Amino acid sequence: MRVLVVEDEVRQAAALKRGLEAEGFAVDVAGNGSDGLWLATEEPYDVIVLDVMLPGLNGYRVCAELRSRQIWTPVLMLTAKDGELDEAEALDTGADDFLSKPFSYVVLVARLRALLRRGAVSRPVVLRVGTVELDVNARRCRVDGRVVDLTGRELAVLEYLLRRHGEVVPKPEILRHVWDQAFEGDANVVEVHVSALRRKLGPGVIETVRAGGYRVSPSREAAGAT
């Protein structure tokens, strides 16, 4: 399997290359965002390890640009930052997974193998369900053409529900997908964000299914997404 590592810290990049090659991966390294974007668009990689803090284009911009070009190579984003907004931004810009530095190398390899098993999946960048429209790259939501101001975490929750529209999505699944594994807060945080979304989006968009979870109401479904 061919991996692209986009990392500007020379020692970190070299260590990743050695370690992944020892696991049987073929590894290319780019030291800045511009080179990483060029390689990712020109070469057929199976997975990309992408640092956030890069010279030139940062990791968020690289990932967003790849998705806007309809390049769906799985991306694992590395970040030295802490905080839910940074993690939500990684998801909002199209990353498939993320790890905060310092990270466990064993976990990194396991997550890469999980991404490889899933493979590249085409995902629309503009989601439309009924009167709700979410531009994933621009992080902009509209309802009936009106811009609705959402937080990064609200955007991430909404995107996950829109991509699963028509399905009942359990609360624990939303928690696992949108919050990182280190989250130790109250699971009711999902209910708090869903309630906030309902206030901002209006009634009838997100339905509660008793003992099941949440789903975007089928009555709001549109013909599809672009």
Side-chain angles (χ1 to χ4, degrees), residues 20-74:
L20 291 174
E21 286 178 341
E23 295 288 337
F25 295 98
V27 183
D28 292 331
V29 175
N32 59 69
S34 298
D35 289 347
L37 177 61
W38 183 82
L39 283 171
T41 56
E42 295 295 321
E43 300 293 337
Y45 292 103
D46 296 293
V47 67
I48 299 170
V49 178
L50 179 62
D51 191 26
V52 169
M53 303 301 292
L54 295 168
L57 299 176
N58 65 32
Y60 298 133
R61 293 179 62 190
V62 171
C63 190
E65 183 63 25
L66 289 174
R67 299 319 187 210
S68 71
R69 299 185 189 186
Q70 306 296 299
I71 296 173
W72 307 110
T73 307

Side-chain angles (χ1 to χ4, degrees), residues 2 5-6 21 28 36 47 55 62 78 91 97 116 118 134 140 150 160 168 176 197 216 220 222:
R2 192 172 182 188
V5 173
V6 188
E21 286 178 341
D28 292 331
V47 67
V62 171
L78 303 178
L91 298 174
D97 201 356
L116 288 167
R118 293 201 297 267
L134 177 64
R140 182 174 59 245
L150 300 180
Y160 193 53
V168 177
R176 287 194 302 269
L197 284 169
V216 173
R220 288 293 187 114

Side-chain angles (χ1 to χ4, degrees), residues 71-112:
I71 296 173
W72 307 110
T73 307
V75 171
L76 174 67
M77 196 169 284
L78 303 178
T79 174
K81 298 180 180 180
D82 294 319
E84 62 181 26
L85 293 181
D86 299 310
E87 296 163 1
E89 186 167 2
L91 298 174
D92 288 342
T93 54
D96 299 271
D97 201 356
F98 58 84
L99 280 176
S100 297
K101 295 179 180 179
F103 53 83
S104 163
Y105 183 76
V106 172
V107 172
L108 171 68
V109 172
R111 290 195 178 188
L112 289 180

